[in-house]
Amino acid sequence: MTRPAPARSAAAAVRRALDGRQDGTAEPPPPPPPGRRPGERALRLGTVAVAALAAALVTGRPWVLALAAVPLVLLVLALPDGPGPGEVTAEATAEPRRCFAGEQVRVRIAVAYDAGPGRLDPGVSLGHGVRLDHLAVGPYHVELLLTVQRWGRWSLGTVDVDVYDRGGVARRTVRAELGEAAVFPVPGHAGLTPVPVRLPHRLGEHTAAQRGEGVEVTGVHPYVRGERQRRIHWPATTRRGTVQVHQFAAESAADTVVLLDALTDVADPVTGVSSLDETFRAAAGVVRAYLRTHDRVGVVSVGGTTRWLRPGSGQGYFHRITESVLEVRKDLAHRSEGLAPLPPPALPGHALVYVITSLTDHRILDVLHQVRGRANPVVVVEIPTGDPVVDPGDTEGSLALRLWRADREAMRFGLVEHGIPVVAHRPGESLDLALAPLLRTRVHGGTR
């Protein structure tokens, strides 16, 4: 029978996990001591008996020895009839291993030992971005219900299970590694798909400037032998006296590359929202929108190790794209030293490049210079990080805030002056609000 672990008897680690508190380090806890050792009950009773014996020796009064008799008798009565737990093994299974942020993962730990049913006492150490919602303990298993709160590739944590004998006198500890979970971000809502001026010559859903076999009428032209008669435009034919047929625009697919700025991760001073979280959510929304229109989408992440994936198409490609950049945040092992040159296959010619950045690290300008130098059309999607909080009356802080705002405004102005559109996407809003101004005209490329 499975029962929820009572708060009174739960380990301190379990209580911390249920309260949502986590250790500030990504390092796992030290390994449990091997072999059989006394349990808490044996230690308490032994401590009382030793204290009573010491008091009898110090005071010289024999009747004080009677105080040691009670805990010794209780200790003898608690001794098990048979052998205590011998070899102890634990095997953990978690489902699912791939999920979206905010979803739950169910973990079951099966414990096997060479003895009768005893008591299990789990100590839970969770990984970053993981919250314990429920814990249930049975005679041979432990069940946990976890919630993964942030995107990334996280270690779910470890569980040290203390296996007691029937009397609770002796125990053995076994560690169960819960493994990793790939947590995808919840994509931002996006339905608009701006396109560059030049499109590859592949069938798609975007209207091209060239004539073709699309559905959007761009005019009429004289009939040429071999054209379909059902496309005859009768009003123009009657007016001009010659057979006129509809002229259609070609429909092509676009190449899109989403470039993620993982150089820094800045928390909003007011809301505490992570810029890297919002960057990835916005990127996932853009990727999903273009994949729905059967375009080819690739991804590049800069910061530490440069990761990239060639443009591809298909709804299944969304998971490949997200998994390719999950290593950016693996147990907070975020590193931003150095910038590697962007590989040429990552940026196909004339592909529309979305650079999603918080504009807090000036090194992103070097990346934009590389992209612009390859004649790729570029759109910068800025993730606002919020203004630093300044105490009232702090003159120096107010001046620093003005300089900080001026520096960011100068960065935006410089990008616009170089022909790079800059749109702002605020957390909680639809991406369509940021991308709508790009529909007024097609995005132009740079110059080599």
Side-chain angles (χ1 to χ4, degrees), residues 176-446:
E177 298 285 349
L178 304 186
E180 289 187 347
V183 185
F184 303 119
V186 178
H189 175 72
L192 301 181
T193 53
V195 295
V197 172
R198 299 184 61 178
L199 289 170
H201 295 289
R202 294 194 317 272
L203 294 179
E205 298 182 12
H206 300 294
T207 302
Q210 298 82 13
R211 293 172 54 182
E213 296 295 324
V215 296
E216 183 173 330
V217 178
T218 60
V220 295
H221 66 274
Y223 173 79
V224 178
R225 185 174 181 178
E227 291 189 292
R228 301 177 184 177
Q229 296 182 2
R230 63 181 179 181
R231 292 188 175 182
I232 296 176
H233 188 264
W234 291 108
T237 299
T238 304
R239 185 171 58 252
R240 298 185 181 183
T242 58
V243 179
Q244 303 289 319
V245 296
H246 288 284
Q247 177 178 303
F248 296 90
E251 292 187 344
S252 301
D255 280 344
T256 306
V257 176
V258 179
L259 192 148
L260 301 176
D261 175 10
L263 296 170
T264 56
D265 188 5
V266 183
D268 191 295
V270 178
T271 62
V273 175
S274 165
S275 64
L276 197 57
D277 282 347
E278 292 303 319
T279 295
F280 205 87
R281 288 190 69 251
V286 172
V287 167
R288 192 168 64 170
Y290 277 91
L291 288 178
R292 284 175 175 172
T293 55
H294 308 289
D295 295 322
R296 299 194 335 144
V297 185
V299 66
V300 180
S301 64
V302 294
T305 303
T306 299
R307 299 172 176 86
W308 60 279
L309 190 65
R310 278 177 172 270
S313 59
Q315 290 299 324
Y317 207 68
F318 173 78
H319 295 285
R320 287 192 59 190
I321 290 176
T322 51
E323 285 186 343
S324 68
V325 293
L326 284 183
E327 297 293 337
V328 171
R329 175 183 280 163
K330 182 177 180 181
D331 296 332
L332 297 185
H334 173 69
R335 300 182 301 275
S336 60
E337 64 276 5
L339 267 180
L342 298 179
L347 299 177
H350 307 293
L352 177 59
V353 180
Y354 283 93
V355 180
I356 305 181
T357 172
S358 59
L359 290 180
T360 54
D361 195 316
H362 285 263
R363 289 177 294 176
I364 193 63
L365 299 179
D366 298 333
V367 178
L368 288 170
H369 180 72
Q370 293 186 48
V371 178
R372 195 66 171 172
R374 300 183 185 183
N376 286 93
V378 186
V379 174
V380 172
V381 180
E382 180 188 0
I383 306 296
T385 56
D387 293 340
V389 178
V390 178
D391 296 332
D394 187 356
T395 306
E396 295 181 356
S398 300
L399 179 60
L401 178 59
R402 291 178 58 188
L403 293 175
W404 183 81
R405 290 174 176 171
D407 180 70
R408 292 178 63 83
E409 191 62 34
M411 188 182 299
R412 300 187 192 100
F413 179 79
L415 294 175
V416 175
E417 282 295 301
H418 284 81
I420 300 177
V422 180
V423 297
H425 169 59
R426 302 190 178 279
E429 295 181 353
S430 172
L431 270 169
D432 290 341
L433 295 177
L435 301 181
L438 301 177
L439 297 178
R440 299 173 184 172
T441 181
R442 296 195 173 186
V443 184
H444 294 265

Side-chain angles (χ1 to χ4, degrees), residues 3-30:
R3 57 178 177 84
R8 183 173 299 177
S9 62
V14 173
R15 292 197 297 270
R16 287 197 305 270
L18 287 172
D19 292 339
R21 300 194 302 269
Q22 301 175 12
D23 296 333
T25 175
E27 296 296 328

